[in-house]
Amino acid sequence: MSDPLHVRLEQLQALGRTPEALATAEALATELARQGQPLRAIAVCRVLLQLEPAHTRTPQLLADLYAKPAAPAATPSSLPRVPLFSELGREPFMALVSVVEPRSFAPGQPLINEGETGRSSFVLVEGRVDVMRKMDGGERRTLSSLGEGEFFGEIALVSESPRLASVVAAQHVLALELHRTRMERIAFKYAAVGDTVRAFYRERLLANVLRSHPVFSALAPAQREALSHIFELRTVEAGRVLIEQGQKGDALYLLLSGQCTPLFRRPDGQETAFPPLREGDVFGEISLLLGQPATATVRAETACHVLRLGREAFEQYLSGQPGIRAALMRLGTERLLHISKLLASGRAVHEGDSRV
């Protein structure tokens, strides 16, 4: 067990479909599973299934240990649960195990490239990766690092959206890759797979956004948890108007992916476009806070994913939170000042944060 797992897997694959390789792979998967290392066990199991597709003992063992039980166990298991996998019953669990693909990456090799259309998600079995993004000036900046057991790229399981960042191996990496087409194929047979994947993606997305976004990070964990259940995750097609100038706003929006354009319509009917709204931007707060008609139109320029919080939920959960209200008021005031400058000068403001 001294060699890294990716080396052990390469050795097994090199042996080919031999009794020695099959016995070694089954013993290794069983050992890892019973030691509480499910992702490593799944990776070995997948190599075993590549060598012997008819093999059933190891997938069944993994399901017995880590799938969601049909009824609560009399004695809780001491083994760790596996995010996503352990939310599935026995048969869907084994189906998911059968379609994930072990992938090995050398240091510096990208797992995901920013801007490319996403078609798969990953979970790290071994090693570390850096999440990197190209800044406005063209330089690449490391946003965070991820380690063993971390999931990333889940949005690709529910939508063909461009990747928002690159993920690059910081050291030798072993990962399990799940392609959307394979997931959809087993979801056709087991509806629970599709439902579980969508719920998993939504919960992780909301938790990350509410924890890291400057407007919502002031909330206590219990408040963020309550809020995560009332935010709606919506997919918006290009060209759709989310907010109409002059009409009373009905929701607060947070843009997760894609691009929206704020448009200010002058009294003479001409429209002026402001710099686009991008990932992480909040909009719709002015109308909600001031009870006035929207000061601008917001239109989706590309297909977008947004979080939507309706007026009633906003008033119930956020309007009474001093920190949240103050942050949104600051944001709204800045935008109103820009609109005032626009009306006074008769031209668009191109300096500073002129988002509406």
Side-chain angles (χ1 to χ4, degrees), residues 63-292:
D64 290 340
L65 295 177
Y66 293 103
K68 185 177 181 179
T75 304
S77 172
S78 60
L79 293 172
R81 311 315 293 158
V82 191
L84 183 57
F85 288 86
S86 293
E87 297 302 315
L88 296 169
R90 181 182 175 83
E91 296 300 324
F93 177 98
M94 289 192 292
L96 187 60
V97 167
S98 72
V99 298
V100 294
E101 181 180 354
R103 296 284 309 280
S104 185
F105 299 88
Q109 185 177 358
L111 288 74
I112 285 176
N113 288 304
E114 181 178 355
E116 291 184 354
T117 300
R119 295 184 173 87
S120 63
S121 69
F122 295 84
V123 56
L124 281 181
V125 178
E126 185 178 72
R128 295 193 66 80
V129 297
D130 291 328
V131 181
M132 311 181 77
R133 191 162 191 182
K134 184 179 289 186
M135 300 294 104
D136 290 340
E139 74 278 9
R140 296 182 74 188
R141 179 180 300 172
T142 299
L143 305 179
S144 63
S145 295
L146 304 175
E148 296 178 7
E150 298 273 10
F151 285 74
F152 54 93
E154 306 98 304
I155 194 171
L157 298 180
V158 296
S159 171
E160 286 195 13
S161 300
R163 299 291 197 183
L164 301 177
S166 295
V167 180
V168 180
Q171 52 190 229
H172 207 112
V173 161
L174 176 64
L176 294 174
E177 183 176 17
L178 176 60
H179 287 267
R180 184 176 60 254
T181 52
R182 295 181 180 181
M183 186 274 293
E184 290 173 343
R185 188 166 66 245
I186 61 173
F188 183 77
K189 182 176 181 180
Y190 301 106
V193 172
D195 295 340
T196 300
V197 165
R198 284 187 290 271
F200 175 73
Y201 162 70
R202 182 182 183 279
E203 289 172 6
R204 282 177 52 82
L205 180 66
L206 285 168
N208 290 337
V209 167
L210 295 178
R211 182 178 62 251
S212 61
H213 197 281
V215 171
F216 303 105
S217 59
L219 291 172
Q223 293 172 316
R224 291 199 297 267
E225 172 67 19
L227 195 59
S228 70
H229 295 294
I230 58 174
F231 257 116
E232 301 173 63
L233 176 61
R234 291 191 174 186
T235 300
V236 180
E237 66 274 13
R240 180 177 172 184
V241 172
L242 295 167
I243 294 177
E244 185 73 54
Q245 182 177 337
Q247 296 185 6
K248 191 174 183 180
D250 64 347
L252 179 74
Y253 292 91
L254 194 157
L255 184 59
L256 298 174
S257 66
Q259 182 174 304
C260 293
T261 298
L263 301 163
F264 179 74
R265 186 173 60 252
R266 300 169 183 274
D268 60 8
Q270 293 186 344
E271 287 187 333
T272 298
F274 282 76
L277 299 167
R278 301 185 185 278
E279 175 196 357
D281 283 333
V282 172
F283 56 96
E285 78 289 342
I286 295 176
S287 183
L288 290 181
L289 289 170
L290 303 181
Q292 297 178 354

Side-chain angles (χ1 to χ4, degrees), residues 4 13 24-25 29 40 93 115 127 131 223 245 335 354:
Q13 290 168 325
T24 301
R40 284 179 164 78
F93 177 98
V131 181
Q223 293 172 316
Q245 182 177 337
R335 291 175 173 167
S354 53

Side-chain angles (χ1 to χ4, degrees), residues 276-347:
L277 299 167
R278 301 185 185 278
E279 175 196 357
D281 283 333
V282 172
F283 56 96
E285 78 289 342
I286 295 176
S287 183
L288 290 181
L289 289 170
L290 303 181
Q292 297 178 354
T295 55
T297 294
V298 177
R299 183 181 65 209
E301 288 300 308
T302 66
C304 299
H305 287 87
V306 299
L307 292 176
R308 180 184 183 278
L309 188 66
R311 176 180 289 275
E312 182 177 339
F314 174 83
E315 292 175 350
Q316 179 179 355
Y317 286 91
L318 292 186
S319 63
Q321 296 291 329
I324 299 293
R325 190 175 184 86
L328 292 174
M329 282 297 293
R330 285 194 299 271
L331 182 62
T333 300
E334 291 173 2
R335 291 175 173 167
L336 287 173
L337 287 172
H338 285 304
I339 292 171
S340 298
K341 291 178 181 179
L342 176 61
L343 291 172
S345 64
R347 59 185 176 84

